[in-house]
Amino acid sequence: MKSILRAWLYLLPALLFLGVFLVYPLVDVMIYSVEEGYNSTSGASFGVGLYNFAYVLRDPFFLMALRNTVLLVAITVPLSTGIALLISLGLASVKKLRHLFQTIYFLPYVTNTLAVGLVFMILFKKTPYTDGLANLFLRIFGAGPVDFIDGPYWAKMFVLCFYTIWVVMPFKILILTSALASVNDDYYKVARIDATPRWRVFTRITLPMISPMLFYLIVTGFIGAFKAYSDAVALFGVNLNAAEMNTIVGYVYDMLYGDSGGYPSYAAAAALILFAIVLTVTTVNLMVSRKHVFYD
Amino acid sequence: MKVTLVHLTKKFPKHDRKTRGEVTAVNDLCFDIPSGKLVGLLGPSGCGKSTTLNLISGLEKPTGGRILFDGEDVTDLPPEKRGIGLVFQNYALYPHLTVLQNILFPLQNLRGEEKLSKEEMAEKAGEAARLVQIEGLMGRRHRELSGGKQQRVAIARALVKHPRILLLDEPLSNLDARLRLQTREEIRRIQRETGVTTVFVTHDQEEAMSISDEIVVMREGVIQQIGKPQEVYDLPRNLFVAKFLGTPPVNVFRGRIENGSLFIGDEAVLPVPGLPAGGVTVGIRPEGFLPDPAGAFSLRLSRVEVMGRDTSVVAAHPASESGAVRAIISSEEAPDPACETVRFSLKRNKVLLFSPEGGEERIPFGGDGAGKEGKA
Ligand SMILES: Nc1ncnc2c1ncn2[C@@H]1O[C@H](COP(=O)(O)OP(=O)(O)O)[C@@H](O)[C@H]1O
Ligand SMILES: [Mg+2]
């Protein structure tokens, strides 16, 4: 009895912390989301209902943010994971330069997001004086110039995806190279003795052996991409709605603090919709992984 | 198939970049693996056993010397062309595949003229599974099996292509004691049934002794001795081999020879006529002690451990170089644990003399040798 009491005592600081910063806000968001006609100055509301969700789901700005976010997720998660896997496989086969490469690829990870975003903007922005580095490249192939920052939608989407992939790459490469290095060499030895073709070695040994790490990267990749916001701000500035580049988290922020903000109920509803989407995707991920992930 | 290793040498570059240099993992190995025999490659960890195996399989290229399979030089042949079956300590079964799929795997890789039909593959897989007695488990995934069963699957996979030689690298080390014994017998039976030439690597001397037709003892990349297990045990070439074989290990003493007698401390424990006077290192096997109230060799008794049929007498002696002295005697002759000293006479053929310097080679003396019993 006494030991149980003591256990709770030890847990208390963590529970308090979690309660104040996690549980309370979560509950609060849920309450906000169902309070109709909430007025932030008076703190009063008309009643309880699902109107906020209906409003948000019909709001063209939310739909735009939703479309951008889904596009971003659908493009960047598979691409970044696939490219990271290819690079890691390459790194695993050139043993000598591995350390150098690992440092280079890891640089973006320790560099500030906004700083990187500004550099990207300079690379891609078209100004009266210069077309930007990216357009110099395009010119070589006889195309362009395209304004990637203030130009057509697809160009801006391309830059955002490119940037997102580039930023998440180092972490993925780091995880995957260590996953590859941890595969016991005996598997490859047996495969060689068995005259196993390369592709079969990859699908039958390498892929199953690193599947837990791959799965981890995909799940966290999805979650991370759904939460995208600061990247878009770094590239396109604060007024994302005007740039047609808003994301769901951006929409939530705008509803709270933006120029047209002051609607915590709409923000809460949008946040909960995002939560539902992420929860669904993660659950699907988990279900798929049951079949395909190999835990040793 | 007979395998011949001719002056086989393998040097690796040193691991850390600062101290350049080479590690000689295998040093000038010369020996024959007779056709159809099971040869145990034995030595402490890091002595080059795995490297030797990898050289035979072709996974590593030697830095010197040749490898012959039935007289044919295979040194430059890639591993998949050598006709090898390989089994590792961790089984290395293909993840995600069933037992059957694992056994089929090597067959499915065959291309061109060697390509087999589905029926032929199934038949071969069934045959291999029967051999290792896992027919009932074909649909299971290997993670659902015990370590012993997994190792059988690995052996079946290694044998399914009818290799010319089967190489086993510490195949029992991941198993618990009971399974280890059982799987050891299995390997012996499978080897007898198939007659495949087999090399069995282990650092466990008991394992090697019990299973092998011939053992090869290695130390730091160099062969110490080759022979039938009993021969190597009875007549080790040097102190290292003597210490490495046998549980409990041989007791080692500082001794000297004077007037044709072997002295340990002040006691003349054994007549050794004809040997020149001087210091020697003496090895006495635990079973070489005979309780004898009139015996010449006295030790201070520490304790008596009864182990059923046998009794282990633990004693101390100032000239001992291997710590506590251990003698294994019949339980009927066990001394009274209250005694302070115990006296033994020695079995002549269980006493080994080694030169105290250089390679610590064994010094032959009259009357020692396998099978010959003699009381001092
Ligand atoms: N790939 C390698 N690179 C460098 N040194 C190695 C390599 N493989 C083995 N060695 C060295 O060779 C020696 C023998 O190793 P090994 O054959 O694995 O020993 P064993 O199997 O008897 O334990 C050890 O000193 C080991 O460090
Ligand atoms: Mg080894």
Side-chain angles (χ1 to χ4, degrees):
Chain A
M1 199 54 221
K2 213 173 161 188
S3 64
I4 292 177
L5 221 66
R6 187 168 334 153
W8 280 107
L9 189 70
Y10 289 150
L11 280 172
L12 196 64
L15 287 178
L16 266 179
F17 187 85
L18 287 177
V20 171
F21 292 105
L22 221 76
V23 179
Y24 167 71
L26 205 67
V27 172
D28 214 29
V29 165
M30 288 182 187
I31 293 170
Y32 270 128
S33 72
V34 291
E35 280 180 343
E36 292 182 353
Y38 176 82
N39 186 316
S40 43
T41 17
S42 66
S45 63
F46 300 145
V48 170
L50 295 178
Y51 171 77
N52 297 322
F53 290 93
Y55 174 87
V56 165
L57 285 172
R58 264 187 270 116
D59 183 353
F61 286 120
F62 179 79
L63 295 178
M64 183 185 74
L66 182 66
R67 182 190 60 181
N68 286 337
T69 307
V70 169
L71 260 180
L72 187 72
V73 168
I75 293 171
T76 62
V77 174
L79 265 184
S80 64
T81 312
I83 295 171
L85 182 58
L86 283 180
I87 292 177
S88 308
L89 286 170
L91 283 180
S93 59
V94 283
K95 296 206 165 59
K96 282 196 176 154
L97 297 174
R98 178 152 38 184
H99 287 290
L100 176 69
F101 279 133
Q102 262 175 4
T103 313
I104 293 176
Y105 285 113
F106 207 63
L107 269 181
Y109 192 61
V110 292
T111 316
N112 183 294
T113 317
L114 288 171
V116 177
L118 288 175
V119 172
F120 258 72
M121 203 176 80
I122 292 164
L123 285 180
F124 285 100
K125 196 169 176 67
K126 191 165 160 292
T127 64
Y129 317 106
T130 165
D131 285 351
L133 201 63
N135 274 315
L136 284 180
F137 260 115
L138 283 183
R139 188 136 22 111
I140 296 174
F141 299 104
V146 177
D147 187 344
F148 286 95
I149 303 298
D150 293 319
Y153 178 75
W154 66 263
K156 288 187 282 193
M157 196 45 146
F158 170 81
V159 174
L160 185 60
C161 290
F162 190 97
Y163 173 84
T164 307
I165 292 173
W166 191 75
V167 164
V168 297
M169 197 61 79
F171 180 66
K172 298 197 172 187
I173 291 174
L174 185 84
I175 296 284
L176 287 177
T177 39
S178 53
L180 286 173
S182 69
V183 178
N184 191 323
D185 222 24
D186 291 351
Y187 287 97
Y188 296 117
K189 287 185 187 165
V190 170
R192 254 180 89 193
I193 298 278
D194 288 346
T196 315
R198 262 198 184 175
W199 176 247
R200 212 169 178 220
V201 172
F202 178 71
T203 55
R204 287 302 181 192
I205 300 174
T206 309
L207 218 46
M209 296 307 270
I210 64 169
S211 59
M213 281 302 150
L214 216 48
F215 171 66
Y216 163 77
L217 287 180
I218 289 172
V219 169
T220 53
F222 269 118
I223 295 172
F226 271 119
K227 290 197 309 192
Y229 173 53
S230 60
D231 312 350
V233 171
L235 286 170
F236 307 109
V238 200
N239 197 345
L240 289 175
N241 279 335
E244 291 184 290
M245 275 292 116
N246 211 353
T247 63
I248 299 181
V249 173
Y251 179 87
V252 172
Y253 181 86
D254 288 346
M255 276 298 169
L256 285 172
Y257 308 112
D259 293 336
S260 55
Y263 299 101
S265 294
Y266 296 152
L272 283 180
I273 291 170
L274 177 62
F275 175 70
I277 295 173
V278 172
L279 188 68
T280 313
V281 169
T282 307
T283 310
V284 170
N285 268 328
L286 277 172
M287 270 155 45
V288 173
S289 81
R290 287 268 154 71
K291 265 189 93 168
H292 296 286
V293 173
F294 174 87
Y295 292 101
D296 204 14
Chain B
M1 183 196 61
K2 182 174 125 179
V3 177
T4 312
L5 309 183
V6 190
H7 297 293
L8 200 63
T9 298
K10 175 71 184 178
K11 294 181 178 168
F12 287 109
K14 268 228 177 78
H15 268 308
D16 58 317
R17 276 171 257 167
K18 280 169 205 147
T19 54
R20 286 178 184 279
E22 288 175 325
V23 184
T24 308
V26 168
N27 196 352
D28 202 30
L29 241 53
C30 288
F31 71 96
D32 281 350
I33 300 165
S35 184
K37 292 281 193 253
L38 197 161
V39 172
L41 203 53
L42 176 63
S45 171
C47 73
K49 306 178 297 289
S50 298
T51 307
T52 308
L53 217 59
N54 290 342
L55 290 170
I56 297 173
S57 68
L59 289 169
E60 298 277 7
K61 289 263 164 281
T63 40
R66 317 296 303 167
I67 301 164
L68 312 180
F69 283 7
D70 269 343
E72 171 208 355
D73 191 332
V74 297
T75 318
D76 299 317
L77 216 57
E80 65 273 15
K81 299 237 169 77
R82 292 192 185 186
I84 303 266
L86 195 55
V87 174
F88 284 111
Q89 172 176 348
N90 69 353
Y91 329 126
L93 294 174
Y94 296 111
H96 250 17
L97 299 186
T98 63
V99 169
L100 177 63
Q101 287 167 331
N102 258 290
I103 302 176
L104 284 174
F105 200 93
L107 300 175
Q108 291 161 342
N109 290 335
L110 296 174
R111 288 287 170 269
E113 288 197 356
E114 293 178 312
K115 203 170 161 66
L116 299 176
S117 71
K118 281 238 158 58
E119 295 74 41
E120 286 169 315
M121 285 193 213
E123 187 179 327
K124 277 181 183 262
E127 181 196 327
R130 263 192 304 286
L131 183 65
V132 303
Q133 302 179 338
I134 48 163
E135 308 100 296
L137 307 172
M138 296 296 247
R140 300 271 199 95
R141 290 196 195 280
H142 66 75
R143 282 192 298 154
E144 300 161 13
L145 305 177
S146 70
K149 292 275 172 14
Q150 290 192 46
Q151 198 53 293
R152 287 180 197 218
V153 177
I155 294 170
R157 180 184 60 184
L159 288 174
V160 72
K161 281 206 288 185
H162 297 288
R164 297 201 281 173
I165 181 167
L166 180 63
L167 306 175
L168 307 154
D169 195 345
E170 313 227 4
L172 308 178
S173 298
N174 272 15
L175 305 178
D176 62 48
R178 195 176 49 84
L179 275 178
R180 194 178 294 190
L181 222 64
Q182 210 179 349
T183 313
R184 180 165 102 189
E185 298 309 316
E186 270 300 293
I187 290 176
R188 181 78 257 209
R189 177 186 64 76
I190 293 163
Q191 197 273 332
R192 287 246 166 82
E193 254 173 62
T194 55
V196 62
T197 310
T198 302
V199 183
F200 183 103
V201 162
T202 177
H203 62 264
D204 180 334
Q205 52 89 22
E206 199 189 329
E207 214 167 274
M209 302 265 281
S210 65
I211 199 177
S212 313
D213 295 312
E214 226 172 72
I215 58 173
V216 177
V217 184
M218 286 180 72
R219 176 196 195 181
E220 290 170 9
V222 182
I223 291 184
Q224 303 294 302
Q225 193 166 0
I226 304 175
K228 295 211 165 59
Q230 196 63 46
E231 280 171 23
V232 179
Y233 181 78
D234 289 334
L235 297 171
R237 179 176 293 162
N238 55 32
L239 184 60
F240 172 81
V241 177
K243 277 187 183 164
F244 199 73
L245 298 185
T247 39
V250 69
N251 300 293
V252 183
F253 300 90
R254 278 183 310 278
R256 63 186 193 288
I257 291 166
E258 265 170 44
N259 307 324
S261 282
L262 170 65
F263 281 79
I264 296 176
D266 302 329
E267 296 166 328
V269 295
L270 201 70
V272 283
L275 285 191
V280 286
T281 303
V282 187
I284 306 174
R285 295 282 182 200
E287 67 273 25
F289 293 89
L290 292 168
D292 180 353
F297 195 16
S298 66
L299 297 118
R300 207 175 66 248
L301 184 65
S302 305
R303 61 183 186 277
V304 177
E305 293 170 1
V306 183
M307 308 179 296
R309 191 165 47 84
D310 293 330
T311 290
S312 171
V313 177
V314 184
H317 194 282
S320 168
E321 292 199 327
S322 52
V325 180
R326 210 171 255 278
I328 305 287
I329 57 171
S330 153
S331 288
E332 287 137 36
E333 296 174 296
D336 180 355
C339 295
E340 263 187 29
T341 50
V342 271
R343 294 195 153 270
F344 293 105
S345 54
L346 299 177
K347 283 186 198 163
R348 195 175 184 80
N349 64 331
K350 295 292 177 186
V351 177
L352 305 159
L353 300 183
F354 301 95
S355 147
E357 300 125 30
E360 299 177 315
E361 303 272 328
R362 186 171 53 85
I363 308 164
F365 64 101
D368 66 350
K372 282 179 230 150
E373 291 270 333
K375 254 191 172 188

